[in-house]
Amino acid sequence: MTKGFETTISVDSVDALAELFGNMDGNADIIKEVLGVEAHGRNGGLVLAGGKENAEIARNVVLKLAALANRGERLDPIKVRYICESAKEGKLDEAEKALDSVVAVTSRGKTIKCKTLGQKKYVDAVRKHAVVFGEGPAGTGKTYLAVALAVAAFKNKEADKIILTRPAVEAGEKLGFLPGDLQEKVNPYLRPLYDALQEMFGLETYQKMLEKGAIEIAPLAYMRGRTLSNAFIILDEAQNTTREQMKMFLTRLGENSKMVVNGDLTQTDLPPDKKSGLKHAIQVLKEVEGISYVKFTERDVVRHPLVQLIVKAYEKEENK
């Protein structure tokens, strides 16, 4: 690889240059870290300096970032890093398609899009299959995207009801010591689902739908004995189900319904003698037609960049 190669990109304005560089030149730092290419301003343009091959990759990245900025999209560090890493792997065009994939629109008009190829694969799987398993680390957007897809299905009249459920397995606390009835006890565990739905529908619409029964949020135990038809059903934190609970849940699937089962097998709160129903179901059902399994990795984490490193460190330790 040739060193000392430079390529210059003309930039329309100082503001556009500042947007590309990011806060405190954060984007330029990411380009240097991931691609080994220096980025700096010169004569109103942006100069990329480094090995020829990487400088050309960086040039494509910057042009892609400029196009995103021109469309009014925010160039946050997570997005910039993902684009750089995708370009380095030769997957820039695939990443662009993923980032352009609209999932839903919130009550305030915010467009929800995929942020990684893993998320795009997940969204496509949910749209195509009746049952989808999403498995992977926290922060990959599994729950949020599932709720967004459920809301989109409801608004498109593809579902008459949205059902969200989680197993009432506590992480280090005993439910019996918490005040209130069972519903009140499990409400803290269901809070991420409440929050996502309120953002999608708006508080007033959400409350009306809850009162009419168009939205149901309940612990997994409430699903027993039912047939769930014409519904979009999401099981969250599925790593905390037993084999029996998972079988019970999956066999609730009724006509014209869709199920999304999400979980992280590295964060199971079950007793040591209990095997996760999620792990068992993935093994048993992976060849069944109409069921899709999507595995998220640390590359799909869309929280603080440190979360990716934390997930990777824990995976390394577990693999030992």
Side-chain angles (χ1 to χ4, degrees):
M1 195 184 322
T2 306
K3 293 185 178 180
F5 179 81
E6 285 190 353
T7 180
T8 303
I9 299 173
S10 60
V11 180
D12 294 338
S13 65
V14 174
D15 289 342
L17 191 63
E19 176 72 14
L20 287 172
F21 274 115
N23 185 35
M24 303 290 290
D25 290 347
N27 295 345
D29 291 341
I30 292 170
I31 291 172
K32 181 180 179 181
E33 178 190 340
V34 178
L35 299 174
V37 174
E38 296 272 3
H40 57 270
R42 183 193 296 166
N43 299 327
L46 191 151
V47 178
L48 300 168
K52 184 174 181 179
E53 183 179 346
N54 280 8
E56 291 294 348
I57 293 173
R59 180 184 179 86
N60 291 333
V61 165
V62 170
L63 291 174
K64 197 69 67 180
L65 293 175
L68 290 171
N70 287 337
R71 295 207 302 261
E73 296 201 26
R74 182 170 166 263
L75 302 182
D76 60 79
I78 293 173
K79 186 178 293 181
V80 173
R81 181 176 295 277
Y82 188 76
I83 290 174
C84 286
E85 290 175 347
S86 298
K88 189 175 182 180
E89 295 173 2
K91 297 180 179 179
L92 185 57
D93 290 339
E94 292 178 62
E96 183 184 19
K97 289 178 183 177
L99 295 171
D100 280 340
S101 179
V102 177
V103 181
V105 179
T106 70
S107 60
R108 296 187 176 183
K110 175 188 171 185
T111 301
I112 298 169
K113 294 184 177 182
C114 296
K115 295 183 178 180
T116 69
L117 289 171
Q119 288 192 352
K120 177 71 163 55
K121 183 179 178 182
Y122 175 73
V123 168
D124 289 345
V126 173
R127 286 172 173 162
K128 292 176 184 176
H129 297 89
V131 178
V132 174
F133 290 93
E135 191 265 307
T140 50
K142 300 184 298 293
T143 299
Y144 188 74
L145 287 173
V147 172
L149 288 162
V151 171
F154 182 86
K155 289 181 176 178
N156 293 333
K157 303 189 185 304
E158 296 166 5
D160 297 333
K161 189 172 187 176
I162 297 173
I163 299 174
L164 309 177
T165 184
R166 297 174 83 171
V169 176
E170 57 279 290
E173 296 183 26
K174 297 296 182 185
L175 286 174
F177 290 101
L178 297 175
D181 58 22
L182 178 59
Q183 184 66 54
E184 291 172 322
K185 287 178 180 181
V186 299
N187 274 347
Y189 299 95
L190 300 170
R191 175 52 56 190
L193 303 176
Y194 288 117
D195 293 343
L197 274 173
Q198 287 180 22
E199 181 181 357
M200 301 295 169
F201 280 119
L203 181 58
E204 187 175 340
T205 302
Y206 162 76
Q207 288 176 335
K208 287 179 180 177
M209 291 180 64
L210 205 59
E211 290 168 5
K212 292 191 302 182
I215 293 176
E216 181 181 346
I217 306 176
L220 182 59
Y222 285 23
M223 300 298 112
R224 190 174 298 279
R226 301 173 60 185
T227 299
L228 307 174
S229 301
N230 302 309
F232 195 114
I233 311 138
I234 300 170
L235 171 58
D236 204 30
E237 300 293 343
Q239 74 276 3
N240 288 329
T241 61
T242 63
R243 291 186 183 189
E244 296 76 19
Q245 287 174 325
M246 180 61 78
K247 182 181 177 183
M248 177 275 292
F249 173 75
L250 292 172
T251 53
R252 302 307 95 198
L253 183 67
E255 189 177 357
N256 298 321
S257 284
K258 190 181 290 286
M259 279 184 168
V260 179
V261 181
N262 290 327
D264 177 4
L265 289 173
T266 67
Q267 297 192 33
T268 302
D269 298 316
L270 292 170
D273 60 329
K274 291 282 189 181
K275 184 175 181 179
S276 169
L278 174 62
K279 185 174 183 178
H280 181 251
I282 291 170
Q283 292 170 346
V284 171
L285 303 173
K286 60 184 177 182
E287 303 297 334
V288 176
E289 190 175 349
I291 295 178
S292 180
Y293 166 62
V294 179
K295 170 68 175 175
F296 290 88
T297 70
E298 75 276 356
R299 282 286 311 277
D300 297 304
V301 173
V302 291
R303 293 180 183 170
H304 193 285
L306 264 179
V307 177
Q308 285 191 10
L309 300 179
I310 291 168
V311 169
K312 192 178 292 186
Y314 271 96
E315 283 185 351
K316 186 177 180 181
E317 176 65 23
E318 286 158 9
N319 290 335
K320 288 182 181 178

